Amino acid sequence: MASTFAGLSISSRGLFTSAAALEVTSNNISNANTTGYSRQVVNQKAVGPAAVYNGSYIGSGSEITSVTSVRNFRLDQKYWRESGQLGELTTKSDMLSQIEDVIGDTDDNSLTAVLDDFYSAMEDLSSDPSSSATRAAMKEAGVAVSEYLNTVSAQLTQLREDANNEVKTSVDQINSYASQIATLNTKIRVATASGSSTNELEDQRTLLIDELSSIVDVAVTKTVVGQLADGSDDIKLSVSISGSTVVNDGVAQQLAYSENDEGLYSIRWQDTGASFEATGGQLKASLDLRDGSGTDSEYKGIPYYLNQLDEFASTFAEAFNEVHASGYGLDGSTGIDFFTSGDSSSTTITAANMTLSADVLEDTDKIAAASAADDGSDNNKNMAALIELCEESEMFGSGTAEDFINSIISTLGTASEHAATMTSKQSTFVTNIDSRRASVSGVSTNEETANLTKYEAAYNASAQMISVWQEVYETTINMV
């Protein structure tokens, strides 16, 4: 026989179920713009019949079984994989753009323009080799060439230092995210075992993995390691970076870094001391930009462009000095170098230390415009030879000085354009994946508003049923 108050019990269950659904809907709406929040849904079921009444089984209403977050783990995995590629491409594209700004192009702010001014000064001096004004102009043009190379080298060196600091920052971030993920793993398993909700904790963990995936390539796996008391799977989550496990359930491995003689950071695993090689993400981009020399199929990073500028400075200065030293200055001096190394510890001329010789800086009469083969120190034979040298296509093997500079600019421009194009494509791809994730786990205010109306109607109906049963019981009691 059914309970005397079965109707009231059933209606009360409906009231509580609808109230819980309204609370979840309200929570979803309030978190519609919360980053990383996953839409939650109420799972309810009908309570089985408790008794037989006049030969019929009568149900006992409804009850909430759980409140779960809606996520698609496969889409998350795909997002994490592609996010690493986007992080790498974006970092390279941004840095190559900065290198372009430093080296310049073919406009007035480029080395080509500075060389053109230097050549013009040489032409003017050739036209009037005894003029102190043209000699001073050539000295200043030579200073401009040297200072331009010095400045570009210093700025590229600073960019390399920036990339090196990014390596350190990335390692610190990886360690922090790994520790936080491991802590959340422990909290989630404890909460799951006790029957508590883990939705918000899982959202926090997913958001941390999102952040981690842009820094280094990430692979996430879920493994069933047993059964919980309620019969559900006991799941362990692990995270790998560059093929090595960094988080195994509640345990996080840490990376460490150390500086070499140049102040560059190398990365290793803290517990084993084994070296760590990044294979994706912002960290790999920073390492490629910092270390890429362009040799043996290496990435053409900042060292490549520094080496190219050093080669230009060394080749140009040595060739120019050889011809200049063979000529005579206005004061009859000879054997004078025009360019020299500003580094007292090295005689090798580089873009960083290239400067005019002290002799030329102190006395422009020592600029060797005259040829030893001619009488008089005010002829222009040697200056004509220097002009011819700068126009030679064999100074750099297969091109002039300007050809060499233009090849550097062209290589950089091609690399930068390719990186920007690939970044744009990858960004679109990642955005599409993230949109698919949002369509599954994101909160739709329109959908939640519809749910609000639905659950409110159910709540009101249950409340009305309680009023009806109250009247029924009151009438029955009065009759008795």
Side-chain angles (χ1 to χ4, degrees):
M1 177 176 180
S3 170
T4 303
F5 297 99
L8 184 60
S9 175
I10 293 172
S11 298
S12 297
R13 287 179 180 271
L15 194 70
F16 296 145
T17 299
S18 298
L22 283 170
E23 290 175 1
V24 171
T25 301
S26 180
N27 188 42
N28 284 340
I29 292 174
S30 66
N31 285 285
N33 296 316
T34 301
T35 302
Y37 179 81
S38 300
R39 176 171 57 92
Q40 297 183 12
V41 295
V42 171
N43 301 309
Q44 67 182 72
K45 69 175 184 179
V47 179
V52 179
Y53 183 72
N54 291 335
S56 299
Y57 288 94
I58 299 176
S60 299
S62 62
E63 66 177 358
I64 301 293
T65 58
S66 63
V67 178
T68 57
S69 292
V70 180
R71 294 206 73 93
N72 187 317
F73 183 61
R74 297 304 177 191
L75 282 177
D76 286 338
Q77 287 180 310
K78 192 170 185 178
Y79 176 85
W80 295 328
R81 182 175 64 250
E82 301 301 333
S83 177
Q85 295 185 36
L86 178 59
E88 178 182 349
L89 289 168
T90 301
T91 301
K92 287 182 175 178
S93 180
D94 291 344
M95 183 62 80
L96 287 173
S97 294
Q98 293 182 59
I99 296 174
E100 280 189 302
D101 292 339
V102 168
I103 293 181
D105 47 31
T106 57
D107 295 330
D108 294 339
N109 66 334
S110 69
L111 178 56
T112 302
V114 177
L115 285 175
D116 286 342
D117 292 341
F118 182 63
Y119 297 157
S120 295
M122 293 170 63
E123 293 282 358
D124 293 341
L125 180 56
S126 179
S127 299
D128 191 359
S130 61
S131 169
S132 59
T134 56
R135 286 177 173 274
M138 181 172 173
K139 182 191 79 170
E140 294 304 321
V143 169
V145 171
S146 298
E147 288 183 346
Y148 188 95
L149 288 170
N150 298 161
T151 301
V152 171
S153 180
Q155 289 175 334
L156 288 179
T157 300
Q158 181 59 55
L159 288 179
R160 191 184 187 202
E161 185 177 336
D162 293 343
N164 186 50
N165 290 332
E166 284 299 321
V167 171
K168 179 178 180 293
T169 299
S170 294
V171 170
D172 290 337
Q173 289 177 325
I174 290 171
N175 287 340
S176 175
Y177 288 141
S179 297
Q180 293 178 70
I181 292 169
T183 299
L184 285 171
N185 279 345
T186 300
K187 290 182 177 179
I188 288 169
R189 293 193 69 190
V190 170
T192 301
S194 65
S196 301
S197 173
T198 62
N199 296 335
E200 282 74 16
L201 294 175
E202 291 185 35
D203 285 345
Q204 293 176 34
R205 182 176 65 183
T206 299
L207 190 58
L208 287 172
I209 299 174
D210 285 353
E211 297 292 335
L212 179 64
S213 67
S214 66
I215 300 172
V216 66
D217 58 317
V218 165
V220 181
T221 57
K222 290 183 177 180
T223 307
V224 178
V225 295
Q227 297 290 317
L228 297 173
D230 61 359
S232 61
D233 292 333
D234 185 10
I235 298 175
K236 178 181 74 174
L237 181 140
S238 61
V239 181
S240 297
I241 56 173
S242 298
S244 300
T245 301
V246 68
V247 176
N248 184 17
D249 197 22
V251 179
Q253 302 298 325
Q254 297 286 288
L255 294 173
Y257 45 78
S258 57
E259 293 183 81
N260 61 17
D261 295 338
E262 295 182 78
L264 302 179
Y265 294 107
S266 59
I267 310 172
R268 57 182 172 79
W269 289 104
Q270 192 174 77
D271 57 344
T272 65
S275 62
F276 173 80
E277 299 294 334
T279 57
Q282 298 170 12
L283 178 56
K284 182 179 186 302
S286 297
L287 290 169
D288 284 347
L289 290 162
R290 187 196 71 178
D291 302 332
S293 64
T295 59
D296 299 329
S297 301
E298 280 190 3
Y299 183 80
K300 292 180 179 178
I302 297 172
Y304 170 80
Y305 296 103
L306 281 170
N307 292 337
Q308 290 292 100
L309 287 175
D310 286 343
E311 182 181 347
F312 170 82
S314 176
T315 302
F316 183 80
E318 289 177 6
F320 196 91
N321 282 345
E322 183 177 355
V323 176
H324 187 272
S326 68
Y328 286 79
L330 194 60
D331 60 356
S333 60
T334 188
I336 303 296
D337 285 340
F338 189 83
F339 295 107
T340 188
S341 167
D343 185 356
S344 59
S345 63
S346 174
T347 58
T348 302
I349 297 176
T350 66
N353 64 31
M354 182 176 173
T355 186
L356 264 62
S357 67
D359 292 326
V360 174
L361 285 173
E362 294 172 2
D363 186 0
T364 58
D365 284 353
K366 295 188 182 300
I367 297 177
S371 172
D374 296 278
D375 294 332
S377 56
D378 59 349
N379 70 78
N380 67 350
K381 297 294 184 180
N382 199 54
M383 187 55 59
L386 286 168
I387 293 172
E388 183 180 355
L389 169 70
C390 293
E391 294 175 348
E392 280 185 6
S393 61
E394 296 181 359
M395 180 185 289
F396 289 89
S398 60
T400 64
E402 290 188 350
D403 291 335
F404 187 84
I405 291 300
N406 288 336
S407 70
I408 298 175
I409 294 173
S410 177
T411 299
L412 174 59
T414 300
S416 180
E417 183 179 1
H418 176 71
T421 300
M422 294 304 297
T423 299
S424 178
K425 290 183 178 180
Q426 187 67 14
S427 178
T428 300
F429 188 41
V430 171
T431 299
N432 289 337
I433 296 173
D434 198 33
S435 296
R436 292 170 60 190
R437 288 205 309 171
S439 67
V440 173
S441 60
V443 176
S444 167
T445 53
N446 290 335
E447 182 179 348
E448 296 304 322
T449 300
N451 287 339
L452 188 64
T453 302
K454 177 177 67 176
Y455 295 134
E456 182 184 13
Y459 183 90
N460 290 334
S462 294
Q464 187 174 356
M465 283 302 304
I466 290 176
S467 298
V468 169
W469 282 111
Q470 184 179 3
E471 293 178 5
V472 169
Y473 296 140
E474 184 178 352
T475 301
T476 303
I477 291 171
N478 289 336
M479 289 175 62
V480 173

